[in-house]
Amino acid sequence: MDNDVYGHMNNVVHYSLFDTAVNGWLIEQGVLDFHGGDQIGLVVETGCRYFSEMAFPDVVTAGLRVARIGSSSVRYEVGLFRNDEETAAAEGFFIHVYVNRESRRPQPLSGPLRAALEGIAA
């Protein structure tokens, strides 16, 4: 399902990889609890620039950095690299606004989350 009728990876797969890279990193850092955490990030804006094609069964590696940290929001930037290539095939971004799980109202980033984000800030 990764490849579309044109034989390359469909754009929705790129966005799925961005989401996986961000959430996987947050889980590894111990700052995201899908089921019980008080704070969750909602995607409010995304974008992608495509430079070269990728297709299954290429191996795709994601590079992640934080471009901006606000009081309740974060801009993540992700590069997708095809096989062993050193130049990104695609670059994208996600902006998360962190909210209270119950009220869905924005709230300041937690201390542990902010510290983890600062560790990969550009």
Side-chain angles (χ1 to χ4, degrees):
M1 111 176 187
D2 293 343
N3 295 345
D4 62 18
V5 296
Y6 300 105
H8 58 245
M9 193 167 75
N10 191 285
N11 62 346
V12 298
V13 177
H14 292 75
Y15 284 94
S16 179
L17 292 171
F18 297 154
D19 189 60
T20 298
V22 169
N23 286 316
W25 181 82
L26 291 168
I27 291 167
E28 287 173 7
Q29 301 305 305
V31 294
L32 175 61
D33 177 355
F34 281 117
H35 303 293
D38 292 333
Q39 191 173 65
I40 58 172
L42 300 180
V43 176
V44 297
E45 186 178 352
T46 64
C48 183
R49 293 176 51 194
Y50 305 93
F51 304 110
S52 62
E53 293 181 333
M54 293 184 283
F56 181 84
D58 288 337
V59 174
V60 179
T61 302
L64 175 66
R65 72 179 183 180
V66 168
R68 182 184 174 283
I69 303 171
S71 61
S72 64
S73 65
V74 179
R75 180 184 168 107
Y76 299 97
E77 295 182 342
V78 183
L80 298 180
F81 297 84
R82 178 181 178 259
N83 299 320
D84 294 327
E85 295 176 4
E86 294 185 18
T87 302
E91 294 176 353
F93 71 92
F94 262 29
I95 297 177
H96 276 167
V97 170
Y98 283 85
V99 300
N100 175 275
R101 176 186 296 279
E102 298 299 320
S103 71
R104 294 297 206 251
R105 301 296 306 154
Q107 63 181 181
L109 302 173
S110 70
L113 175 58
R114 181 173 292 280
L117 296 169
E118 288 172 351
I120 63 167

